[in-house]
Amino acid sequence: MTELQRLLLAYDQHRADARPCALATVVEVLGSAYRRPGARMLVTDDGQLTGAISGGCLEGDARQRARQAIFRGQPALVTYDTRDEDDPRHGLGPGCQGVVRILLEPLDYAAPDNPMELLRGFAYHPEPAVLATVFEKDNATGLRAGVGQRLLLTANGDLRGLPTLATPLAEAAQATLAGGTSQVLEIETDAGPVRALLELLTPPLRVVIYGAGNDAQPLVRLAASLGWHITVLDGRPNLATAARFPEAAEVRVVPVAAIPQETPGDAYAVLLSHNYAYDLAALALHLPSPASYIGLLGPHAKATRLLAELNLSEDEIANLRTTRLHSPIGLDLGSETPEEIALAIVAEIQAKRHQRDGRPLRERADAVHAPVLALHDSFL
């Protein structure tokens, strides 16, 4: 289950119980922080928490401030400077050495476009989208637009949310969607400037696992815990069952002869069947697909034999081995047990997805997290 799914379940329960709650959202980070813009936490009027906005150091103070926002019925923007060793609010000492800004908003269950309902729209129709959130305005201009106004723009151009500043927010959201990176912008409007988080929302990673043996079970469990959308295929009806893979989104019996009729799409492929003919059919299916990751369990010799049967040129094979085909599958973690092998596979997929090489973080010269672009810091 993804973090968003957990938040929606909690939100629906609070609404059913008529329990007031607020949404805490990380809207801007300057420097280093545990969570990035877009991290969220629900807070009820009695202090119950769902989700996280930090590693645990900010939740206590944010809880109290969120309860105050519920009582007052007004949103609030709070800034935590974890570089301040004397700040008694969170007792961080040196902390993460960054500035974290959090928007706290009481939620109106009757509003069809409150932030949780906008996020529900993305969750139910997973396609790339941008959620634009106004979190600060220039009070000197007498700006009429309210903090907390939002707009959701989907990849097909649909808009939800009815903010006062719909046109400039929509234009900024469209640029963010095209650029593929979240950003914080100061947006000029007829009424004056506002500061907004343009958050790129991406669907869960789709992974297709060929093979429903016992070693696929810990892989599915671990991958599903990251919120990935998992499909398991196998030709053996006694193994390809939902009971054996309750965390998978889909489990299907697909004989080897039926694999060529599958539609691979751009899902990551993991070939884990321990069956040469099954792996060959799956590999042949995915090579011409847009999938950027094809992982094959087994030694180098097995991959060499499979590729030879597919009549590929030496250049094509060399390109596959250096780009899309990962065989033997997984990072070199010294894995032996099925659980350890699952960890190595998931770690490699995570690195591939984010274009990282899997090296220790202590060897990384750049920042651990890619910065969220922030322009025009005149509000700070």
Side-chain angles (χ1 to χ4, degrees):
M1 182 182 295
T2 66
E3 186 174 56
L4 176 55
Q5 289 172 325
R6 287 191 290 270
L7 288 172
L8 286 170
L9 283 175
Y11 168 82
D12 288 341
Q13 186 62 57
H14 299 333
R15 180 176 57 183
D17 296 339
R19 176 182 297 172
C21 72
L23 180 67
T25 305
V26 177
V27 291
E28 189 168 26
V29 171
L30 305 173
S32 177
Y34 187 80
R35 298 298 306 269
R36 309 306 294 165
R40 297 177 179 85
M41 178 176 73
L42 280 176
V43 185
T44 62
D45 59 344
D46 60 357
Q48 180 180 333
L49 303 181
T50 305
I53 53 173
S54 75
C57 49
L58 304 182
E59 276 74 3
D61 186 76
R63 181 208 310 254
Q64 298 305 318
R65 290 173 180 267
R67 296 175 69 188
Q68 292 173 9
I70 294 172
F71 176 76
R72 295 169 181 165
Q74 295 291 331
L77 180 68
V78 59
T79 299
Y80 295 98
D81 188 346
T82 63
R83 300 169 301 184
D84 185 357
E85 299 183 23
D86 298 321
D87 191 335
R89 291 179 300 173
H90 38 80
L92 287 176
C96 291
Q97 296 296 296
V99 177
V100 182
R101 312 189 78 197
I102 297 172
L103 180 61
L104 306 169
E105 306 165 87
L107 293 177
D108 180 2
Y109 293 126
D113 286 327
N114 75 35
M116 290 305 300
E117 294 300 340
L118 289 179
L119 288 166
R120 189 196 304 276
F122 163 73
Y124 282 7
H125 304 283
E127 60 177 339
V130 172
L131 183 65
T133 302
V134 174
F135 64 85
E136 195 170 16
K137 60 183 180 179
D138 187 350
N139 291 323
T141 66
L143 186 64
R144 294 185 301 276
V147 168
Q149 289 193 339
R150 281 180 174 82
L151 180 146
L152 180 71
L153 172 70
T154 65
N156 62 12
D158 290 341
L159 288 172
R160 282 192 60 186
L162 299 173
T164 305
L165 308 176
T167 298
L169 279 182
E171 293 174 349
Q174 185 63 58
T176 301
L177 190 61
T181 303
S182 298
Q183 54 185 337
V184 173
L185 297 178
E186 183 178 311
I187 301 174
E188 292 294 337
T189 73
D190 292 340
V194 298
R195 198 166 182 81
L197 167 64
L198 286 303
E199 180 189 355
L200 183 67
L201 304 176
T202 56
L205 179 67
R206 301 181 69 88
V207 179
V208 179
I209 299 175
Y210 293 86
N214 292 341
D215 56 348
Q217 291 177 301
L219 175 59
V220 171
R221 285 195 296 269
L222 181 54
S225 74
L226 299 178
W228 297 355
H229 183 282
I230 310 298
T231 298
V232 179
L233 307 180
D234 199 300
R236 297 165 289 184
N238 61 316
L239 295 182
T241 67
R244 283 172 48 80
F245 298 95
E247 304 88 356
E250 186 178 13
V251 182
R252 291 193 288 125
V253 178
V254 179
V256 63
I259 288 180
Q261 282 73 53
E262 291 291 311
T263 303
D266 59 355
Y268 283 31
V270 176
L271 281 55
L272 207 69
S273 71
H274 302 274
N275 181 293
Y276 185 84
Y278 211 83
D279 287 342
L280 179 62
L283 185 59
L285 175 70
H286 281 276
L287 286 184
S289 79
S292 59
Y293 179 94
I294 303 171
L296 173 64
L297 185 71
H300 289 290
K302 178 181 177 181
T304 299
R305 181 183 171 193
L306 286 168
L307 292 172
E309 288 205 36
L310 295 174
N311 297 318
L312 301 174
S313 69
E314 291 185 3
D315 288 343
E316 288 174 323
I317 292 175
N319 181 62
L320 278 171
R321 285 190 175 278
T322 57
T323 56
R324 304 169 60 210
L325 181 60
H326 296 256
S327 180
I329 192 172
L331 297 184
D332 184 3
L333 305 180
S335 301
E336 294 290 343
T337 67
E339 289 76 14
E340 292 171 346
I341 293 171
L343 175 63
I345 294 172
V346 168
E348 183 177 62
I349 291 175
Q350 175 76 0
K352 176 69 175 183
R353 184 187 190 192
H354 294 282
Q355 300 180 347
R356 299 294 180 92
D357 56 13
R359 76 175 69 183
L361 284 174
R362 67 183 181 187
E363 297 178 7
R364 184 175 177 84
D366 300 331
V368 173
H369 300 287
V372 174
L373 182 63
L375 300 178
H376 307 301
D377 294 335
S378 58
F379 283 54
L380 301 179

